[in-house]
Amino acid sequence: MSSVAERSLIANQMTRRDVSTLLDMTREMTRREAARLIGGITASCLWPIGAAGAQSKNESTTMLTRPIPSSGEKLPVIGLGTWQTFDVDPAQSAPLAEVLRTFVKLGGRLIDSSPMYGRAEQVIGDLLTKLKLRDSLFLATKVWTRGQQAGIDSMERSFARLQTKTIDLMQVHNLVDAETQLQTMREWKAQGRFRYLGVTHYEAGAFAEVAKILARAKLNFVQINYSIMERDAEEKILPLAQERGIAVIVNRPFGGGDLFHRVRGKPLPDFAAEFDCTSWAQFFLKWIVAHPAVTCAIPATNSVQHLDDNMRAGFGRLPDAKLRQRMIEAITNL
Ligand SMILES: NC(=O)c1ccc[n+]([C@@H]2O[C@H](COP(=O)([O-])OP(=O)(O)OC[C@H]3O[C@@H](n4cnc5c(N)ncnc54)[C@H](OP(=O)(O)O)[C@@H]3O)[C@@H](O)[C@H]2O)c1
């Protein structure tokens, strides 16, 4: 199945009888052949992105990526947040296994956590080990404490909970005791325990502090809030990140979910078709990742259906500057 259009057609036209014929056929095959065939069809049913992608001139079958400026390593533009959504009893994590499996299947890589997110790191670590997904993911977590020894203890716990020897990105959560934690982080990066370093915040009120640290410390990443209704990062943080060669992770891309309340019951503007957008979630995410300074956005969800929707934002065309402005007006005038 070579193109999105073909996969989409098959997924949409298969009847129950086709499925049962397919199952009969697989009885004649080796287990490996059957698994490959069923896996391909399942992915097609789950992912008929052709509805938008196949009809556009820029049909894409893999997710858009952006290079991390300090290394050139490419990251898919849609990642996964875990605040609240992954803070569950590990015995109840089966639905999240499906979320993670689907995330990787649809081309996702970066997953963001923190010791502040309750059981999230532990749940991620257990699932990665169980599903053998460690090598498919770019693991980002944080340190959120004061004092050198407390920072060391916290980061050691993150390694243990995530069940990994290397954490791809370690970030200072909300700039808490940043200078102290960055000292240890730099040492551990030199030892190969971390691949990249960064800082995070989630409020525009902290952007002056974030800008100061971006200007003086040598960082690979910054993580901040940015969405169609929270655009403060455009003033200083995004231009500074571009100038300093710092990758940008966008948190709270849906304003913590508030954006969905704003558009509830409202139809998507017709012009959304011009950038292969079929839902409000894609509208919000495409608006963000179309900014040239943004490396990836990390929407959080514990629903496979929402994840599927969000991941589609990483395919097809993105809005240009003019369309992005029109999108702001459309939301403001709702
Ligand atoms: N200081 C920091 O470092 C910091 C601060 C804030 C956030 N973060 C990171 O950024 C991540 C994202 O931010 P966030 O979790 O605050 O908020 P968010 O991603 O803006 O919004 C999450 C909410 O949107 C809903 N949602 C997701 N996809 C949807 C879809 N397709 N349709 C409808 N609803 C959808 C989710 O509900 P469902 O689960 O029902 O889908 C959830 O209630 C966090 O999880 C965390 O990893 C970091």
Side-chain angles (χ1 to χ4, degrees):
M1 265 159 255
S2 55
S3 76
V4 171
E6 279 169 342
R7 282 189 284 131
S8 183
L9 201 68
I10 288 170
N12 293 336
Q13 291 183 350
M14 264 178 61
T15 62
R16 264 162 196 251
R17 229 179 63 216
D18 294 334
V19 172
S20 101
T21 310
L22 187 70
L23 286 172
D24 284 337
M25 280 163 59
T26 61
R27 280 188 201 110
E28 308 293 319
M29 299 174 185
T30 63
R31 280 181 63 172
R32 183 181 293 180
E33 284 167 332
R36 203 183 309 134
L37 181 57
I38 288 172
I41 297 290
T42 310
S44 305
C45 294
L46 181 74
W47 195 237
I49 62 170
Q55 284 160 24
S56 83
K57 281 188 199 138
N58 302 348
E59 178 183 290
S60 55
T61 52
T62 54
M63 186 178 285
L64 298 170
T65 59
R66 290 275 162 75
I68 299 168
S70 61
S71 69
E73 179 179 355
K74 286 181 178 167
L75 278 180
V77 293
I78 307 297
L80 185 64
T82 62
W83 181 53
Q84 292 181 316
T85 46
F86 273 63
D87 180 14
V88 301
D89 177 349
Q92 311 289 321
S93 66
L96 295 174
E98 210 37 52
V99 168
L100 263 191
R101 215 184 274 125
T102 309
F103 177 65
V104 170
K105 194 187 275 176
L106 300 183
R109 258 191 93 207
L110 189 148
I111 181 165
D112 175 74
S113 194
S114 170
M116 188 208 187
Y117 302 165
R119 296 157 290 185
E121 283 188 327
Q122 187 67 57
V123 166
I124 294 168
D126 289 350
L127 291 177
L128 292 192
T129 303
K130 201 163 117 198
L131 303 173
K132 300 192 169 54
L133 285 180
R134 172 64 191 94
D135 293 343
S136 306
L137 289 169
F138 184 101
L139 275 184
T141 193
K142 311 186 186 94
V143 53
W144 180 65
T145 189
R146 290 186 187 280
Q148 186 188 36
Q149 192 54 47
I152 289 172
D153 295 344
S154 169
M155 291 189 280
E156 289 292 7
R157 278 195 299 274
S158 291
F159 277 105
R161 289 183 185 139
L162 292 167
Q163 301 168 37
T164 183
K165 288 201 167 70
T166 312
I167 290 174
D168 296 291
L169 168 62
M170 179 56 75
Q171 308 156 103
V172 180
H173 198 148
N174 290 352
L175 304 179
V176 175
D177 206 3
E179 290 305 338
T180 308
Q181 307 311 347
L182 278 169
Q183 270 179 23
T184 312
M185 286 161 64
R186 285 192 193 100
E187 281 168 29
W188 291 14
K189 180 170 183 272
Q191 293 164 16
R193 300 187 80 191
F194 303 140
R195 297 177 60 227
Y196 299 100
L197 305 183
V199 295
T200 79
H201 216 287
Y202 68 104
E203 275 187 333
F207 284 175
E209 274 309 302
V210 174
K212 271 191 210 160
I213 199 159
L214 294 190
R216 72 169 180 264
K218 210 165 167 259
L219 295 172
N220 310 113
F221 277 82
V222 62
Q223 182 188 136
I224 36 89
N225 60 307
Y226 180 51
S227 73
I228 196 162
M229 294 309 285
E230 289 178 8
R231 300 188 296 274
D232 313 67
E234 285 171 354
E235 282 164 33
K236 235 187 185 159
I237 303 295
L238 296 180
L240 187 59
Q242 269 183 307
E243 187 191 311
R244 303 265 301 151
I246 297 168
V248 176
I249 298 176
V250 171
N251 64 39
R252 295 176 46 81
F254 303 135
D258 289 351
L259 285 176
F260 292 109
H261 299 300
R262 194 178 177 99
V263 299
R264 183 165 295 146
K266 304 279 191 336
L268 203 57
D270 289 343
F271 70 86
E274 292 177 36
F275 48 94
D276 304 324
C277 168
T278 60
S279 73
W280 280 116
Q282 293 162 39
F283 190 92
F284 300 139
L285 292 172
K286 280 187 178 246
W287 184 86
I288 292 169
V289 301
H291 192 293
V294 170
T295 310
C296 78
I298 49 167
T301 184
N302 52 20
S303 141
V304 173
Q305 200 191 335
H306 285 172
L307 176 85
D308 181 88
D309 186 7
N310 299 344
M311 298 300 273
R312 286 166 198 255
F315 291 79
R317 290 168 293 182
L318 292 176
D320 60 16
K322 225 165 133 191
L323 275 170
R324 286 182 91 234
Q325 189 51 40
R326 211 169 149 198
M327 293 164 84
I328 294 172
E329 284 155 20
I331 293 289
T332 312
N333 296 332
L334 275 178

